[in-house]
Amino acid sequence: MTNLTEQQQKLQKQREIQHKELKIQKEIRQIEDDLVIAIEKILDRQDSCKNLEEAQYRNLMHVADTTESTEVIKNFLRYQLGRDNKWGEGENSLAEKIIRDIDNSLYTKAKEIVNKVKYTEKLKFVWLELTRRYLGYGSRRLKYLKAAKKSKSNNNQDK
């Protein structure tokens, strides 16, 4: 009889975990607009991203998708910053602004989510998920900005 109770407890615990994970996903979906707005604001105001090529941003996305660490993502951004100036230069570079968002607003949002759901063990997971989504939305915006710039350039040549 105790085995049944233990099994029931295990099932209950599994259901609670699943419920918390679903709540986390719901909370993440509810702040997606904030993520989009944050990265678009950086990319739209950033003159230094004019030299950034889509392939370089895709490399960042590949790093983000293949790691379980926000530190690895930030390390890659700093590496790129040290290689050339396509990510900008210094504290006001695109790379440093993204790193600041990862460390500040994305971390804060992740912390708020896990505290709200009462599942603090998932902080690192939520922080990484928010970072991946944020960067993904940036990839889309960069594609749009490059296409708009190309279109504008073509229109000016036609005149």
Side-chain angles (χ1 to χ4, degrees):
M1 189 132 182
T2 20
N3 279 345
L4 187 58
T5 306
E6 286 175 22
Q7 287 177 346
Q8 287 173 334
Q9 288 175 346
K10 283 181 185 178
L11 284 173
Q12 179 63 28
K13 183 82 169 159
Q14 287 175 341
R15 280 193 291 268
E16 287 172 10
I17 289 171
Q18 288 173 340
H19 182 69
K20 287 179 179 182
E21 288 175 353
L22 289 172
K23 285 174 89 174
I24 283 174
Q25 291 305 317
K26 180 182 177 192
E27 293 296 323
I28 289 171
R29 285 191 305 275
Q30 289 180 342
I31 64 161
E32 282 181 309
D33 285 352
D34 297 341
L35 301 177
V36 171
I37 291 166
I39 189 66
E40 285 185 353
K41 188 185 296 184
I42 288 175
L43 291 173
D44 289 351
R45 293 183 184 166
Q46 197 63 33
D47 286 336
S48 62
C49 80
K50 64 185 174 205
N51 296 325
L52 185 62
E53 297 166 15
E54 289 177 54
Q56 292 165 317
Y57 203 93
R58 273 195 308 272
N59 289 342
L60 171 62
M61 293 300 304
H62 177 72
V63 168
D65 289 339
T66 58
T67 187
E68 296 300 317
S69 168
T70 54
E71 293 303 319
V72 169
I73 296 167
K74 294 183 295 184
N75 174 269
F76 178 80
L77 281 164
R78 288 190 179 108
Y79 165 72
Q80 290 298 319
L81 195 56
R83 286 184 60 208
D84 56 36
N85 67 351
K86 292 186 179 184
W87 288 88
E89 295 177 359
E91 288 298 310
N92 289 321
S93 67
L94 175 61
E96 285 296 335
K97 287 181 179 182
I98 290 172
I99 289 168
R100 279 195 297 274
D101 265 3
I102 291 170
D103 281 343
N104 298 321
S105 63
L106 299 182
Y107 180 77
T108 300
K109 288 179 189 311
K111 215 169 170 182
E112 289 170 0
I113 288 171
V114 298
N115 286 337
K116 183 175 183 178
V117 175
K118 295 180 177 53
Y119 202 13
T120 56
E121 306 87 66
K122 288 292 186 173
L123 176 60
K124 186 175 177 180
F125 168 81
V126 173
W127 187 20
L128 183 61
E129 181 65 20
L130 294 180
T131 301
R132 286 176 175 156
R133 288 178 187 232
Y134 167 90
L135 294 172
Y137 302 138
S139 178
R140 293 176 186 170
R141 186 61 172 192
L142 187 61
K143 179 79 171 170
Y144 165 76
L145 292 172
K146 294 294 180 184
K149 182 180 177 183
K150 186 176 180 180
S151 175
K152 186 177 178 182
S153 174
N154 288 343
N155 288 341
N156 288 340
Q157 288 177 356
D158 292 343
K159 291 182 181 179

